[in-house]
Amino acid sequence: MKPVGYESDNLINNEVGIKSEFLDHRLQANVSLYKMDWEGVQLPLFDPSHLGNTTFDVNGPTYEVKGVELQLVARVMEGLTIQGSSSWNSTNQTNAPCLLSAGTVGSKKLANNPTPAGTCITQINGQPYTNPYGVLDTSPAFSPAMEFNLRARYDYTLFNYNTFFMVGANHIGSQRNEPASFPDGNLPTSEGGCLVGEFRTRRCANTPCRVHDVRRRHRCGEGQLDGAGHG
């Protein structure tokens, strides 16, 4: 099972702003307002629990982005300059497209693909597959609502050398590193738990080696080990 592929995305950006100086050129201010409509965003999709240990490039959802940017540079006193910038963003996912199937063409592994080409992938290996792109009215990954930085620089002369001292700070608001509904990598089990990993271990001492199949599940936030020995 694999996605059909990806096409070009489309971005329309509308922006208006003003740039000016005040207080006898001691204060410079840049302000801009923008609105972006980003359709079919190209995203890397890595979902080893369902799609195998491969990263696919796919077309994701459409986002509407609105925001304001502010930049200030101030000559506070002789030698001292303070500058900073900030942005306030409102991002919103406006649609929830599905992951399209590649059908049965191009690989023997796809011969039994139950999903026709170009239609939504709804099951993989007999298990339901949910939309990995996120849900409506949520923000995309790596999209903080606010971020800003501030720097102060002091220029002076020391032993006939032009010297300066500078300090700075920056802040980035909270953000996610993936869409809200992106698969978490856990595999469902018939017992109602979640299969996190399955592996085989071999123990050898003075007796013949015994192979143990070990499965680990999470139930209600706690892990447990189930093991069975085989000669």
Side-chain angles (χ1 to χ4, degrees), residues 158-181:
L158 180 65
F159 303 118
N160 294 323
Y161 287 97
N162 294 326
T163 311
F164 71 90
F165 176 78
M166 185 170 63
V167 294
N170 63 70
H171 168 79
I172 299 178
S174 62
Q175 59 184 335
R176 292 190 302 267
N177 63 358
E178 60 186 27
S181 63

Side-chain angles (χ1 to χ4, degrees), residues 201-217:
T201 61
R202 183 179 295 271
R203 297 192 305 183
C204 302
N206 295 325
T207 58
C209 292
R210 296 174 61 85
V211 177
H212 290 255
D213 292 330
V214 181
R215 293 190 300 168
R216 183 177 60 188
R217 293 188 182 90

